[in-house]
Amino acid sequence: WVAGLFALPGIAWAFPDWNFQPPVTTIADQIIGLHDFIFWICVAIFVGVFGVMFYSLFKHRKSVGHQAAQFHENTFVEVVWTVIPFLILLFMAYPATKTILAMHDTTAPDMTIKVTGYQWKWNYDYVHDGFGFYSNLATPLAQRENREPKGPNYLLEVDNPMVVPVNAKVRLLITANDVIHAWWIPAFGVKQDAIPGFVRDTWFRAEKVGDYYGQCYELCGKEHAYMPIHVKVLPQAEYTAWASGKMKEAAARADDPSK
């Protein structure tokens, strides 16, 4: 039974739909580690408390001749059941506090992107590069109405994904234009509310090239399910070429007299 408990994490990872997405940032890895650490503390508490309780009920049951003891208070027991939970909480607080502080350490970023939530799309402004764009759902209406087979990234495709270089510390300035939204990428360990009138910041450093998906995590209206997030992580050279093209597009639009 104990061996089965310790095999649970491996079993869970064998069924990824039941567990966290594989982490691609240090923060996401710390969050999963913290989750597993506290989970096993809870398992130990459960086994200890209910083990003692069931043993006491069985060993000292009336049917084998035991009589209930009569007492109303025990200072030693009360001190023990106060001190032990306090020490357990302290033991849990250190890694939790360490992870939370790391999540909010937005100092010394390599780049800054302003993220603005709208009903129902995202806007990304590359603050230091002078360009920005909207990101809208790209899943065809026919799929949403079940007139075509659903694609592998159903309701997650966008027309313009956020693009960032691998291993770069990206600071996000997150706000909203209308109602409360939330920007959430599970593989990055990032979830931050976007609140009108406030600018809140968070960060991530993606350590693997690839495509990563998330969604608005705050109920924001009837199209809430249709404002996905897609972040494309590229090697530095490919990102530089992409950003150069975007800056040229922005300069061309600024010079267009029909704009």
Side-chain angles (χ1 to χ4, degrees):
W1 181 78
V2 173
L5 276 179
F6 280 98
L8 278 176
I11 295 171
W13 282 117
F15 298 92
D17 290 343
W18 297 358
N19 210 313
F20 295 98
Q21 291 185 10
V24 295
T25 68
T26 301
I27 292 298
D29 194 54
Q30 289 181 18
I31 290 172
I32 294 173
L34 179 64
H35 167 273
D36 293 344
F37 173 70
I38 292 180
F39 169 78
W40 287 116
I41 289 178
C42 293
V43 169
I45 293 171
F46 175 86
V47 171
V49 171
F50 282 89
V52 170
M53 185 179 75
F54 290 139
Y55 172 81
S56 300
L57 290 172
F58 176 78
K59 190 69 175 178
H60 301 94
R61 62 192 187 277
K62 183 178 180 180
S63 61
V64 295
H66 281 277
Q67 298 293 324
Q70 300 295 321
F71 62 90
H72 297 285
E73 61 182 50
N74 186 308
T75 303
F76 176 75
V77 170
E78 291 179 0
V79 169
V80 167
W81 73 33
T82 301
V83 171
I84 290 179
F86 175 74
L87 294 176
I88 292 173
L89 289 175
L90 285 182
F91 190 60
M92 296 164 64
Y94 174 74
T97 303
K98 183 179 178 181
T99 300
I100 291 172
L101 291 176
M103 290 168 62
H104 291 279
D105 180 16
T106 59
T107 57
D110 297 309
M111 60 185 299
T112 300
I113 301 174
K114 180 183 177 185
V115 180
T116 306
Y118 293 85
Q119 290 178 308
W120 288 270
K121 55 184 173 287
W122 298 98
N123 178 263
Y124 301 119
D125 285 315
Y126 288 66
V127 175
H128 300 298
D129 294 325
F131 67 86
F133 51 85
Y134 287 94
S135 181
N136 295 278
L137 175 71
T139 299
L141 182 62
Q143 289 187 21
R144 291 157 54 187
E145 294 180 345
N146 295 316
R147 291 185 282 108
E148 289 182 358
K150 293 177 172 57
N153 293 314
Y154 177 66
L155 294 185
L156 294 175
E157 304 99 333
V158 300
D159 52 3
N160 291 305
M162 176 194 287
V163 181
V164 299
V166 68
N167 290 321
K169 183 172 182 178
V170 182
R171 183 188 184 207
L172 302 178
L173 305 176
I174 299 178
T175 187
N177 186 63
D178 35 45
V179 299
I180 297 177
H181 302 276
W183 199 88
W184 176 55
I185 296 282
F188 293 173
V190 172
K191 184 171 73 171
Q192 180 65 69
D193 283 355
I195 303 174
F198 292 86
V199 177
R200 310 181 74 186
D201 66 345
T202 187
W203 70 281
F204 66 86
R205 187 195 305 272
E207 298 170 355
K208 295 181 181 178
V209 170
D211 294 277
Y212 303 100
Y213 299 94
Q215 292 172 310
C216 175
Y217 206 76
E218 193 73 41
L219 187 60
C220 58
K222 70 181 185 67
E223 303 293 319
H224 164 66
Y226 303 137
M227 55 180 303
I229 302 162
H230 177 189
V231 178
K232 183 180 288 292
V233 181
L234 298 177
Q236 182 62 54
E238 293 182 26
Y239 170 78
T240 300
W242 174 85
S244 178
K246 285 292 185 182
M247 286 187 278
K248 290 177 181 177
E249 290 177 13
R253 285 195 300 270
D255 294 337
D256 186 355
S258 64
K259 179 175 179 294

